[in-house]
Amino acid sequence: MILRRALAALPALALPGLAQAQQSREAWAPSRPMRLIIPFPPGGTTDLVGRMVAERLAARLGQPVVVENRPGAGGNLGGEAAMRAEPDGHTLFFTTIGTGAMNFAVHGARMPWRPEEVAAVGLVTRMPNVLMVSSGFPARDMAGFLQAARGREISYGTAGFGSSPHVCMELLAQMTGLRFTHIPFRGSGPMLTELMAGRLDCGMDNIPSALAFIRENRITGIAMTGARRSTVLPEVPVVAETLPGFEATAWFGVQAGARNPQAAIARIGAELDEITRDPGFRARLAEFGAEGPDLTPEGGTTPAAFAAFTAAEIRKWGEVIGKAGIRAE
């Protein structure tokens, strides 16, 4: 009898995380359809990953999760709508490295919300940027690129001013003492077109936008910005193999206004953790070079871990942006 009781209690003792997740699910549930505000247009990487999350959250929460695209102001229009929404747990914001960290420094006092007005729900994925060169560029690896940059003016394109690729290149400039000429475009498409035409020396972008062109040898990927090589382009080294200490990854996650019920944040955070650790979800992310959040030993995420992560990112990129003098007009 004693042994039977001990065995019955074992799962609760051995798996406190599962017990806490079950408590979160019992404490709050949505009472109507939810909104996930995505601060960029349909069709891009943010929209793609956000819709994957919305579909899976809906299945787990038992209510539709309606995607609402609200582009503008570098993602700030959508973020402001989410932060000012009724704080009842039914409006979520699909944030990025821009809206979650960089924009606070880029927009300064004109940023429509502050970090303390945000409730972290969970990190969804991280993905590196890739540095690419045109067919006529005289270098085909990172060491050659840095050498070429010391002897000529290098122009580089990105998907926009203040974007993750823009700030990533500024970090590279600060760590090497080199100077590059930034040419911002309205999106990845126009920038990649100019790069393939040879009217830019190089470009920096997220992997999904550039992957097909690199595989078709229309442009050359010379370095990834993450901590390790990407599974979709394993032949392309990371910048840190040439420049130790360099690391910069774009990321996407879920946030909400800080006035939302803690029970709602905990419940949605628990479901998001399950989603990000699901092998099927990870396999889908891996198709375009994205990885899981890996904020917990199990590879998942929690609201507290995501809050600490974003705080560190705000500090890191705030320093880079401040030194570079990047300010929204």
Side-chain angles (χ1 to χ4, degrees), residues 39-40 73-76 79 83 93-109 111-116 118 120 123 162-164 167 248-255 306-322 326-327:
F40 294 100
N76 285 354
M83 298 310 151
F93 179 51
F94 197 68
T95 192
T96 69
I97 187 175
T99 54
M102 293 177 174
N103 283 8
F104 293 109
V106 172
H107 294 268
M111 186 72 178
W113 73 91
R114 305 307 305 159
E116 57 269 21
V118 179
L123 183 65
S163 63
S164 166
V167 180
T249 54
W251 50 263
F252 305 86
V254 177
Q255 296 176 329
F306 187 35
F309 174 85
T310 52
E313 288 285 280
I314 289 170
R315 289 192 298 270
K316 173 180 177 176
W317 296 114
E319 292 179 4
V320 174
I321 290 165
I326 301 172
R327 291 290 182 271

Side-chain angles (χ1 to χ4, degrees), residues 34-38 47 50-52 54-55 65-69:
M34 300 179 63
R35 286 192 300 164
L36 179 64
I37 296 178
I38 296 178
D47 183 67
R51 289 177 184 274
M52 289 170 54
E55 179 184 2
V65 178
V66 180
V67 168
E68 182 178 321
N69 294 92

Side-chain angles (χ1 to χ4, degrees), residues 14-226:
L15 301 173
L18 293 179
Q20 292 171 3
Q22 183 60 37
Q23 291 173 2
S24 297
R25 293 184 179 94
E26 294 171 353
W28 183 87
S31 59
R32 63 179 189 279
M34 300 179 63
R35 286 192 300 164
L36 179 64
I37 296 178
I38 296 178
F40 294 100
T45 304
T46 309
D47 183 67
L48 169 66
V49 181
R51 289 177 184 274
M52 289 170 54
V53 170
E55 179 184 2
R56 287 161 175 79
L57 273 179
R60 301 185 70 90
L61 292 170
Q63 288 284 356
V65 178
V66 180
V67 168
E68 182 178 321
N69 294 92
R70 284 209 185 187
N76 285 354
L77 291 184
E80 183 176 20
M83 298 310 151
R84 303 291 178 257
E86 184 68 26
D88 57 8
H90 287 74
T91 299
L92 303 173
F93 179 51
F94 197 68
T95 192
T96 69
I97 187 175
T99 54
M102 293 177 174
N103 283 8
F104 293 109
V106 172
H107 294 268
R110 289 185 291 181
M111 186 72 178
W113 73 91
R114 305 307 305 159
E116 57 269 21
E117 298 178 76
V118 179
V121 181
L123 183 65
V124 172
T125 184
R126 312 186 210 199
M127 67 178 68
N129 293 318
V130 56
L131 177 62
M132 305 156 285
V133 295
S134 64
S135 58
F137 194 78
R140 286 292 180 269
D141 57 34
M142 193 64 199
F145 174 82
L146 295 177
Q147 184 61 39
R150 291 185 177 92
R152 59 179 283 183
E153 181 179 341
I154 300 292
S155 63
Y156 75 92
T158 71
F161 180 86
S163 63
S164 166
H166 177 198
V167 180
C168 186
M169 283 296 289
E170 291 296 338
L171 176 61
L172 180 62
Q174 290 174 19
M175 290 185 66
T176 60
L178 298 171
R179 302 182 72 175
F180 306 107
T181 300
H182 180 219
I183 303 177
F185 289 81
R186 291 183 178 274
S188 297
M191 183 274 289
L192 291 168
T193 298
E194 292 297 289
L195 183 60
M196 286 185 284
R199 289 186 284 269
L200 289 170
D201 291 317
C202 64
M204 178 78 79
D205 206 357
N206 298 146
I207 291 181
S209 303
L211 183 59
F213 302 113
I214 295 173
R215 284 177 168 170
E216 294 167 5
N217 294 317
R218 300 176 69 183
I219 47 180
T220 301
I222 62 169
M224 295 289 188
T225 65

Side-chain angles (χ1 to χ4, degrees), residues 208-271:
S209 303
L211 183 59
F213 302 113
I214 295 173
R215 284 177 168 170
E216 294 167 5
N217 294 317
R218 300 176 69 183
I219 47 180
T220 301
I222 62 169
M224 295 289 188
T225 65
R228 55 185 177 269
R229 295 195 182 199
S230 171
T231 56
V232 294
L233 291 171
E235 71 279 8
V236 179
V238 296
V239 175
E241 292 178 39
T242 303
L243 187 64
F246 185 97
E247 181 183 352
T249 54
W251 50 263
F252 305 86
V254 177
Q255 296 176 329
R259 295 181 299 135
N260 280 278
Q262 286 301 306
I265 300 300
R267 167 72 194 277
I268 300 167
E271 301 297 355

